[in-house]
Every structure is written in C-alpha cells, then in structure tokens.
Amino acid sequence: MRVFANLNELKAATGEHLGYTPWRRVTQDQVNLFADATGDHQWIHVDAERAARGPFGTTIAHGYLSLALLPSLMTELFRIEGLKMAVNYGLNKVRFPSPVPVGADIRAGAELLDLKNTPAGKLSSLRVTVEVRDQPRPACVAETLSLYIAD
C-alpha cells in the first residue's frame, strides 16, 4: 500500500501509476448478494446450471459489481494521511471489456490523472483498471472522481 503524507504529496504523483491491490476472489455468494441488492437476477449471474451451458461456461459477476468493489479496492491501494474525509464524487467513463467468472481472482491498479482544487476540497481523477488473473483484457476500466477534504 502506498501512503501519502498529505494532499500535496498526492498531487506530486500526478501521472504516476500508484500500484496494484492484492488479488481477491469473486464468489458466487457475493454475486448473489449483489443480485438481491439490485434486483438483477439474470441467469448468467445466478443460475450456475444454465450458465454452465451459456456463452461464458460459468456464472459471471455483474459489471456493476466490479464497479461497486472499487471503493473497497482503493482502500487497499493507497492512503492519504491527514484527511477529514473522502467522498466518492462520480465517474467520467466506465467500460467492462471482459467478464469476471465466478471464482476468478481480481485486482485493481490505478493511475492518478489529476488532482485539482475546488471550493469543496481537492478533486482527484483516477483511471482504475480491474484485472482478472490470467485474462488478457481487463474486466473494468473506470475514471473515478473522489473529493478529498483535509483536516
């Protein structure tokens, strides 16, 4: 995990790749809970028997589950000391180039694109890429926005 002493130190990392999170397994229980939370019970996500005969050969995670894991993954990637709070501010662009098979391991890497002043605090833009172990294409590529407010 990369630790920044303050927002000025983070700003100095603009344009840098910040590293990768540890690998974590995506489970059918996670997918089922996400399906219940969102009401998206499409068979490719929750019906293992039918999905085994489908285009992916197994159940796959929802694309939006990959996206929803980003805040948790980012806490494993870097930390900024001296923050009062950090708020998810939004997204500029999101793509899901390939599926995440249930049982696969994923990790995230991020590049700091920008950190700029706003009246509310400092607004970061990160390009986050979620990789699937042994898959050539990423599962999710998102430009995330976070608002940081210092103590």
Side-chain angles (χ1 to χ4, degrees):
M1 171 181 294
R2 191 155 173 192
V3 178
F4 296 96
N6 52 47
L7 288 167
N8 290 332
E9 195 173 289
L10 178 65
K11 174 72 173 170
T14 300
E16 291 183 25
H17 194 274
L18 303 179
Y20 294 94
T21 66
W23 292 100
R24 79 163 62 165
R25 177 121 331 135
V26 175
T27 67
Q28 188 64 56
D29 285 342
Q30 284 177 299
V31 172
N32 292 344
L33 287 168
F34 191 82
D36 289 344
T38 62
D40 181 355
H41 292 93
Q42 188 176 167
W43 62 270
I44 61 173
H45 304 303
V46 297
D47 187 337
E49 185 177 308
R50 186 173 176 193
R53 299 185 310 271
F56 306 109
T58 187
T59 49
I60 62 169
H62 304 72
Y64 285 120
L65 173 56
S66 300
L67 188 63
L69 290 172
L70 293 186
S72 170
L73 287 163
M74 289 302 95
T75 66
E76 298 174 5
L77 185 62
F78 71 94
R79 182 176 76 240
I80 307 162
E81 301 290 339
L83 285 186
K84 187 175 188 176
M85 69 176 176
V87 178
N88 293 321
Y89 195 79
L91 301 158
N92 283 337
K93 184 177 180 181
V94 179
R95 297 291 183 267
F96 304 111
S98 66
V100 177
V102 167
D105 294 325
I106 63 168
R107 71 175 181 178
E111 175 188 354
L112 179 61
L113 300 176
D114 193 18
L115 183 67
K116 63 183 179 184
N117 291 321
T118 72
K122 300 238 185 210
L123 185 65
S124 74
S125 174
L126 289 169
R127 180 178 301 115
V128 183
T129 302
V130 177
E131 300 176 348
V132 180
R133 191 188 304 262
D134 299 324
Q135 254 184 222
R137 293 178 48 183
C140 179
V141 180
E143 187 176 317
T144 66
L145 303 173
S146 297
L147 183 66
Y148 300 119
I149 300 169
D151 281 334

